[in-house]
Amino acid sequence: ADKVMERVSELVSGRGVALKGGVEPAYLGRAVSISDDLVALKEHATAAYGALDNGGWHLRHPIGKLIKFQQVLFSSGGGGATSEAASSSDDLESGGGTPSSSSGAAAGWLVEGAAVEVEMDEEGLRGSRYGATFLGFADEARRVARLQYTHLTAEEGGEERLVEEAPCARLRPSPPAILGWSSRLRPGVQCELWHEDGWWEVVVYEKRRPPKPRGGPAQFEVYSETYGEVEATVGAGRLRPRLVLVHGREWLPPPP
């Protein structure tokens, strides 16, 4: 196990991993990050260095450790706007665990005008995320944010956007778009559905392809494990990956 963690340290530091018969260390100069697509990296290591990998102990097993660590972070939910900006490399080189979090002031990305997502806590909305603009802090301790929602209105059927306050711990930046992600959609995949002007956590139940010869894009049956009434058959355009923000600064890729 110690040898495997040494290889992990070499990968995340960018020093590369020396292989018997290799011209130079594998992945020299590339600091592997916990936010990388590690499944793709493991596949590349197998294809490019399989014959030199000493049964997998130099590359495949260390990358597998990183994948397990990534899955722990994903299942723990990462961190929000108040998470410590601790070094992922330090966590990994020390053997890793779940990231520590702090109840301190908001992260540096939270500036006036920033596009954010708010994790809702109200009954019937809990766990969903709605887009908003950060207007400023509502308290001197910088723990409470003043927000204007992008789609929610102050009155049903009205045009005035809802303005309210929310704890900074429930905020995160708007996640990045993931190109080509829809190819991973299959039964059992966790994702988010655009529903009632927000993003709701769902699971893919079934993938449907239009009958030939008409063809066309696939449709996906999705459902919420929390809210039984949240169920739909939609195209990939109304779905996005369930991404996790780690330490308030790095996005984990969609899980394998």
Side-chain angles (χ1 to χ4, degrees), residues 18-39:
L19 301 175
K20 187 176 181 180
V23 177
E24 65 177 24
Y27 303 115
L28 176 66
R30 174 185 175 178
V32 175
S33 168
I34 198 63
S35 61
D36 287 343
D37 189 337
L38 298 175
V39 173

Side-chain angles (χ1 to χ4, degrees), residues 78-230:
T82 59
S83 294
E84 270 183 10
S87 166
S88 294
S89 295
D90 290 344
D91 288 339
L92 293 170
E93 291 186 24
S94 64
T98 56
S100 57
S101 60
S102 163
S103 59
W109 60 264
L110 200 52
V111 297
E112 186 174 342
V116 302
E117 287 190 346
V118 187
E119 183 176 357
M120 310 303 280
D121 196 36
E122 293 85 350
E123 188 67 31
L125 293 174
R126 187 169 291 119
S128 61
R129 296 184 185 274
Y130 282 75
T133 299
F134 175 69
L135 302 179
F137 293 102
D139 66 332
E140 292 184 2
R142 297 163 62 92
R143 298 176 190 273
V144 180
R146 190 165 180 267
L147 309 159
Q148 182 176 49
Y149 286 93
T150 306
H151 297 287
L152 297 182
T153 56
E155 297 181 1
E156 187 174 354
E159 296 185 358
E160 183 180 353
R161 301 302 175 194
L162 176 63
V163 175
E164 69 173 15
E165 296 177 0
C168 292
R170 283 169 38 204
L171 307 184
R172 71 176 191 180
S174 296
I178 305 296
L179 297 177
W181 170 77
S182 61
S183 63
R184 297 191 183 195
L185 284 170
R186 61 187 183 277
V189 167
Q190 298 178 347
C191 56
E192 295 181 357
L193 167 71
W194 180 253
H195 173 73
E196 295 184 350
D197 297 324
W199 291 101
W200 296 66
E201 294 185 351
V202 294
V203 177
V204 176
Y205 175 71
E206 186 177 352
K207 180 178 181 178
R208 293 183 175 181
R209 294 190 179 277
K212 296 180 179 181
R214 182 169 59 88
Q219 295 284 301
F220 302 90
E221 287 189 24
V222 299
Y223 69 97
S224 169
E225 296 178 313
T226 304
Y227 301 102
E229 68 275 14
V230 179

Side-chain angles (χ1 to χ4, degrees), residues 27 41-51 60:
Y27 303 115
L41 181 66
K42 187 176 180 181
E43 292 174 352
H44 178 269
T46 300
Y49 301 106
R60 294 194 300 279

